[in-house]
Structures are given as C-alpha cells and as structure tokens.
Amino acid sequence: MRSMRGVIGTVQKTEPSLAIWMLLSCLVTGAAPLLGIMIPRFLLDELMGAQDKKRLFFLVGVLAVGTFLCAAGKAVCKKKTTVLLEDCIMKMEEQMGKIPSKIPLSVSESKSSMDLYERGKYGINAFRDFFENVQKIGGAAITLASAGGIILANRWYLLLLLLAANLFAIPCIRQIKKLEVDNARRSVPEDREFQYYCMIANDFRYAKDLKVFEGIDFMLSHARENMDRILRINHVYFTKSGFWNGLAACAVELQTAVLFGILGVLLMTGGITVGMFTMLYSACRQFGQTLNGMITAGNLAITDGILLHPMLEYLNQETEEENSADTKEVRRCLEQAGKGIMEWEFDNVTFRYPTASHNSMEACSFRIHSGETVALVGKNGAGKTTAVKLLCGFYQPQSGVIRLNGVDIRSIPMKEYRSLLAPTFQDFQLLPFRLDETILCHEAEGITDHERKSLERAAGSLGLGNWVKSLPHGFSTFLSQNLTGEGVLPSGGLAQKIALARSVIHGGGMVIMDEPTAALDPRSEEEIFQSMADISRDKTCLFISHRLSSTRLADRVLVMEDGRVAEEGSHEALMRQRGIYRELYEAQAGQYRDRSAE
C-alpha cells in the first residue's frame, strides 16, 4: 500500500489532471453497462405486450443515443488518460535516467544498483498497468453498485450466489499474484544479463576482438545459456499461472450455469416475465463478471504496487547534492577557492572498494598546497587512481577525512565542489556529439563567441589546431558515426588531447591528470605536459604518469606504495634518497637505454 500511495503521490505532482480524467473515465465506463441491462427488459416486455410503436421507438432511441454517448465518452476519456499517462511515464523514465549522474559512483556501479535499475525499469512498465487496473476498479465499483441494486430490488438471494462463486475465485487470484511477483524477482537479473549480451553484439567496439579471437561462438553460448534460464523461469510461471486462471474461469462459468437454471425455472413457472428474465440474467452476469474482474484488477494493482516499489526506491535514493551543508565554513572555503586558494589534505584516509578483499588506501596522509604542481607516482595498484576518485568525491573513505581549505569535502555541495575541478581521467569518455559540444559540454546553439575563441586557444595549445582544420566541418564535426554518416573516430592520442581540452575549457582551479597521455609517444607526452604546465600556471595541479621523466615538471613528487605515501620530495631530492622513486626511475630509464643501444 505504501508503494501505491507513493505512486499516486508522484503522479499528482507530475500530472495533476490525470486523476480528474480517470474519475470521468470510471463514471462513463461504469454506467455504460446499465443501458444493456435495463433497456432490453422494457423493449421485450413491450414487444410481448401492447407493442406501442411510439414507446418502442423511444426505447430504441434511448438505447442508440445512450450507447453512442457512452462510446464517445469512453473514447475521449481513454485518449486523454492515455496521453497524460504516457507523458507521465516519459517523465518518470527521464527521472530514472538522471539518477545515475546524481548518486555516488560507488552506488551506481554496484551490481545491486544495476539490478535495482532494471527492476525499476520493469516497474515503469507496471506503472501503466497499475493505473489501468485502478481505472478498471473504479469503473467496476460503479457497475457493481448499479447491477447489485437491480438484483437486490428484484431477487436478493441471487446476489448471495454471485458473491459465493466469486469468493471461490479469490484464492486462485492470490496464487496468480504470488507467481507474478516471484517471476519478476527471478527474471529481472536474467533479463539484464541478456540485454548486456545484446549490447555487446550491437557495439562495434567489441567486433574486432570477437572476430579475431573467435569469441562470437563463445559469447553466443553464454547468451543461449542465459536464454535457456529465462525460458525455464517463464515455463514454470506460465504453467502454474494458466492452471489457476483456468480454475478461476471455471468458477465463473459454473456460476453462470446455475443462474441460468434458476432464472429458467422462474420463467417457466410464471414467476418472472421474459423482460425480467433478460434483465436479471444480464445484471447477474454483469455483476459476476465485474466482481471477478474487480478482484483480479485489485490483486493486479497490488502486484503492480509491489513491482513499482523498486522504481520508487531507485528514484528516492540519496543524491550527492543532498549530502551537504550550507555553513559559514563552507561558504568561506568556496570563496577562497574562487580566488584560487586551494589547500588540499588527505588525513589518515582508508578506503576499500565494495567488492575488493583488501584496502586500496591505508591510513594515507598527504597535502597539496595551493598553486603547487604535484606528481603522484607508484607501481600499479599502489592507490594513485583511487586517490583521484576520492578527491573528485566519487567515493567516500571508510575512515579519515579529505579537506579543502580545512573543510571536509563531504559537507560541500557536490555541484559547486566539482566546478572547482578540471580532471582528465585515465578511462575518460568522449560524447558522440559535435567536437565543440563535446569539449564545451553544452548545445552548439548556446556557444558564445568568447567560448569559441577559448575553444580555439585550447585546441591550439594542445596541438589539435591542424587536425581540426582537416575535419570536414571543423569544430562542428561529430565524433562518432552513430548520429551522422559524416562523423570521425579520433585515434587514441587525439581522443586524449580532446579530453585534455575539455578539462582546460572547464576552467576549474584544481587541474587533475590521471594518466592522460598513455596513448601518446614519449615526445608528444613531454609536449603535452609542458603545454598543460603553461596552461595551468598559477593553478593547483595533480598529475599521475607512469613515465617518470615528466615528474621533473612537478614541484613535488608523492611516491605511493601499498595505499600510502612512502616518499615525497622534488625529483632531485628523491633521486638522492636512493629509495623507491629512484628504483622506479632507473628501471624505466634503463629500458629506454637498452632500446637506444639496440
């Protein structure tokens, strides 16, 4: 019931007029069967009696006009409620699409969150069914009241028979409801897995590996196994559901046979007229079918409410923006950051990924001073990229605090906090839109002259100018062929430069580069780092690079090992220490010397 109230409340906020049109639809739908119950009785009695032509024409006219008006009313209400409901569903889908960008990354990338998202999408389908069933219940209530009144006024004991027959169907309908909930619970993870296989099959990025390494049959075998599991789940559901549905239908048909027998005896003994027989039979038949349909719709609405719960749970997740505080300390911190003052501190930070068996950071402490360029180096798995993710607020440490200007970053509104950052991630993604839209992250129609000049300067400083000029439409060229046939697919090196240009344009005071030049050759990397050093002058900068030659551009180097800062200092000072840094540097330099000798 709580889910049902939540859904109704959500609809009231999204489409307030939907409830009014649904009420009108219930009134028209519920009243329409009365014409087929009442008017035929008077027509038959008139035909069997006086056969007054005026009265007959009047009754036929009432039946024709009433049927037309009811049909027209139902059509108008159905069209209006359908449009409003579909509009409401689209808005709900839009809200669900926004959630992954608002909730913490640690939540959105977990399997439980992805399963909840799929169950939530399943709930959107139930959203439509829920309101259709509510509408059926409303119309059925009006029909039951009218048909029941007719039966009570003429042969009250027939009503008891109808109620008894439909009560027998209730356990059958409950069993059907349990089966539907169980089927949804078991099939959603399997459906999500199958959709994943479909995505791989349609994504050209997987095509090369699948073809070369003969992985197509391998992937298809997994998809077939998954499909077999889905078929087994559905087979169990449809077999059991069919049995209980058939049993409920038998109860209704048995009730009809008994009613027909009772009314037939009354007709033959003169207890009722032909018109009365028709009216009572129609009323009883309508009452029985409507009551059965109402019970079914009620149970389905409850089932839909259960299926809707994951959608509401997904939509009501706590977002990053909500997990903040507007205090004097936060305002002071942001004012200082706006002036370029950014003092960062990792204070005894410990972090472990949700599915990991050991900590990626262990009681890690270090500082990054305002205006300083810091290089973060270390072996794979030392915790470098983890530090960047924590600094960007994608994850929260299990213990310890990350501070900006003395303020815990968790208390800063995340939107304002991230506006201070200009990161380029190791696993960056470029949007499949126009080049200018991808770098500026907004629609081309809103790009100002000032932004275009900044765009050209950033591209030129990163060595993209000549490449942009060679494109068929310059900055208006799409970076994919998914949306247009004239798009281009930039190489890995060009893609990294575009990602760096996006960071430069973003304009945050804290420049973060996590392996941003991995696809570039050493000379190009040196040029890029030198360009970034010029661009980020007077800004705070943190960069990670496996090529330690670039660390000479840093004011200070932090060497990470086993999730902690093991050494720190300038390149020259660390080389004199003969520690981890010198070992890494000489091992890498030795590789280049060996290649030169060869």
Side-chain angles (χ1 to χ4, degrees):
M1 289 298 292
R2 186 170 57 187
S3 296
M4 295 171 71
R5 289 196 298 270
V7 172
I8 293 171
T10 302
V11 170
Q12 279 297 102
K13 293 178 184 177
T14 310
E15 290 291 350
S17 60
L18 180 59
I20 297 171
W21 281 100
M22 284 187 66
L23 180 60
L24 289 172
S25 180
C26 290
L27 290 171
V28 175
T29 304
L34 292 179
L35 291 169
I37 294 172
M38 297 291 294
I39 302 300
R41 176 209 169 168
F42 297 113
L43 276 171
L44 286 171
D45 284 343
E46 191 64 30
L47 287 169
M48 298 294 290
Q51 298 185 1
D52 186 339
K53 291 183 180 180
K54 290 184 179 180
R55 182 174 172 78
L56 285 170
F57 278 122
F58 172 75
L59 291 171
V60 170
V62 170
L63 182 61
V65 173
T67 302
F68 172 78
L69 291 176
C70 286
K74 285 170 67 175
V76 171
C77 292
K78 183 178 180 179
K79 180 181 178 181
K80 192 65 179 179
T81 53
T82 299
V83 170
L84 292 172
L85 188 58
E86 291 302 321
D87 184 57
C88 192
I89 289 171
M90 289 179 65
K91 290 177 180 176
M92 298 295 287
E93 289 176 338
E94 181 183 0
Q95 290 181 42
M96 284 196 68
K98 291 178 180 178
I99 291 296
S101 63
K102 293 184 177 182
I103 60 178
L105 186 64
S106 58
V107 176
S108 64
E109 72 177 12
S110 66
K111 183 179 184 302
S112 58
S113 179
M114 288 188 283
D115 281 344
L116 182 63
Y117 175 71
E118 288 300 322
R119 290 165 58 205
K121 289 200 300 185
Y122 196 88
I124 286 183
N125 295 329
F127 189 86
R128 182 185 293 103
D129 296 336
F130 172 77
F131 279 94
E132 288 178 356
N133 284 316
V134 168
Q135 195 169 334
K136 288 178 183 178
I137 292 169
I142 296 171
T143 300
L144 283 178
S146 305
I150 293 171
I151 297 168
L152 280 173
N154 292 278
R155 295 293 186 275
W156 61 269
Y157 52 84
L158 295 176
L159 199 59
L160 298 178
L161 176 63
L162 293 168
L163 292 172
N166 279 277
L167 287 174
F168 175 77
I170 291 176
C172 301
I173 296 170
R174 285 181 176 172
Q175 288 297 325
I176 295 169
K177 181 186 74 174
K178 290 180 181 178
L179 288 169
E180 287 176 345
V181 174
D182 178 66
N183 183 65
R185 178 185 60 81
R186 293 194 298 151
S187 63
V188 164
E190 301 293 343
D191 289 340
R192 184 174 70 82
E193 182 179 337
F194 187 74
Q195 292 302 319
Y196 179 72
Y197 292 132
C198 292
M199 181 273 292
I200 291 177
N202 286 284
D203 194 332
F204 68 90
R205 291 175 297 180
Y206 293 93
K208 297 188 294 292
D209 298 277
L210 290 173
K211 289 177 182 293
V212 171
F213 299 108
E214 299 181 355
I216 296 175
D217 291 338
F218 168 72
M219 188 191 73
L220 289 177
S221 66
H222 277 290
R224 278 193 292 267
E225 289 174 8
N226 172 251
M227 179 55 68
D228 288 340
R229 291 195 298 272
I230 293 173
L231 291 173
R232 284 195 294 271
I233 292 170
N234 287 337
H235 176 74
V236 171
Y237 165 70
F238 285 113
T239 300
K240 293 182 178 180
S241 177
F243 170 78
W244 290 108
N245 271 307
L247 202 59
C250 287
V252 173
E253 294 307 319
L254 181 62
Q255 154 204 291
T256 301
V258 173
L259 282 171
F260 195 84
I262 293 172
L263 291 173
V265 171
L266 289 173
L267 179 62
M268 287 187 291
T269 58
I272 56 175
T273 64
V274 174
M276 180 66 74
F277 172 90
T278 303
M279 183 184 74
L280 286 175
Y281 179 76
S282 298
C284 290
R285 179 76 174 173
Q286 187 69 54
F287 186 93
Q289 290 179 339
T290 303
L291 181 58
N292 184 266
M294 187 178 184
I295 294 170
T296 302
N299 277 280
L300 289 175
I302 294 172
T303 303
D304 292 333
I306 295 171
L307 297 176
L308 284 166
H309 180 73
M311 182 189 74
L312 297 174
E313 184 181 347
Y314 191 81
L315 290 173
N316 292 327
Q317 291 181 97
E318 183 176 320
T319 62
E320 292 173 321
E321 287 79 6
E322 293 168 349
N323 194 23
S324 60
D326 188 6
T327 63
K328 290 182 179 179
E329 289 77 11
V330 170
R331 290 296 112 196
R332 174 190 57 78
C333 167
L334 292 173
E335 287 174 5
Q336 289 178 330
K339 296 175 183 178
I341 302 172
M342 295 186 182
E343 292 283 337
W344 303 88
E345 179 187 10
F346 274 61
D347 185 3
N348 211 35
V349 171
T350 296
F351 174 76
R352 176 182 296 185
Y353 289 99
T355 58
S357 58
H358 63 279
N359 293 335
S360 295
M361 297 194 79
E362 187 73 51
C364 182
S365 298
F366 63 87
R367 289 175 178 268
I368 302 173
H369 303 296
S370 185
E372 184 181 32
T373 296
V374 173
L376 198 60
V377 302
K379 297 177 181 178
N380 289 333
K384 307 183 296 298
T385 296
T386 298
V388 170
K389 290 179 179 179
L390 291 171
L391 185 64
C392 292
F394 296 141
Y395 295 91
Q396 301 300 331
Q398 276 78 32
S399 62
V401 182
I402 303 172
R403 298 187 182 94
L404 168 61
N405 296 335
V407 176
D408 187 340
I409 64 171
R410 288 173 294 192
S411 63
I412 304 173
M414 196 52 61
K415 186 174 182 180
E416 294 185 63
Y417 174 73
R418 291 202 177 124
S419 68
L420 305 174
L421 308 176
T424 303
F425 301 111
Q426 184 179 21
D427 54 349
F428 66 87
Q429 296 293 328
L430 298 180
L431 300 173
F433 304 128
R434 288 169 40 148
L435 177 58
D436 49 9
E437 290 179 327
T438 299
I439 295 176
L440 293 169
C441 288
H442 65 75
E443 293 84 355
E445 291 76 11
I447 298 177
T448 63
D449 292 338
H450 174 72
E451 286 176 326
R452 291 205 175 277
K453 291 178 181 178
S454 299
L455 190 63
E456 291 170 2
R457 283 197 300 269
S461 64
L462 291 167
L464 284 170
N466 291 332
W467 177 72
V468 173
K469 291 177 182 178
S470 70
L471 296 175
H473 302 289
F475 281 107
S476 301
T477 305
F478 279 78
L479 294 182
S480 168
Q481 294 184 349
N482 292 335
L483 302 177
T484 175
E486 296 184 345
V488 297
L489 296 175
S491 65
L494 286 170
Q496 287 186 319
K497 290 181 179 181
I498 295 169
L500 285 166
R502 182 170 60 185
S503 299
V504 170
I505 290 292
H506 185 62
M510 176 60 164
V511 178
I512 302 170
M513 295 183 287
D514 181 9
E515 294 287 347
T517 55
L520 301 177
D521 59 80
R523 180 170 295 178
S524 297
E525 181 185 43
E526 186 78 16
E527 293 173 357
I528 289 297
F529 270 116
Q530 189 60 59
S531 298
M532 290 302 295
D534 295 338
I535 293 169
S536 60
R537 188 175 290 117
D538 300 327
K539 293 185 178 183
T540 309
C541 183
L542 172 68
F543 71 85
I544 299 171
S545 175
H546 279 299
R547 295 195 184 110
L548 300 186
S549 58
S550 60
T551 57
R552 290 174 297 174
L553 299 172
D555 299 317
R556 191 157 50 97
V557 180
L558 302 178
V559 184
M560 294 198 70
E561 186 175 50
D562 298 328
R564 308 182 179 198
V565 174
E567 297 175 0
E568 65 174 295
S570 66
H571 168 75
E572 292 77 12
L574 290 174
M575 289 297 288
R576 289 194 296 269
Q577 286 184 18
R578 297 180 177 275
I580 300 170
Y581 179 80
R582 177 161 178 164
E583 179 186 340
L584 292 171
Y585 188 90
E586 290 187 341
Q588 195 172 99
Q591 293 176 3
Y592 288 112
R593 282 195 295 268
D594 293 342
R595 290 174 187 172
S596 298
E598 290 175 6

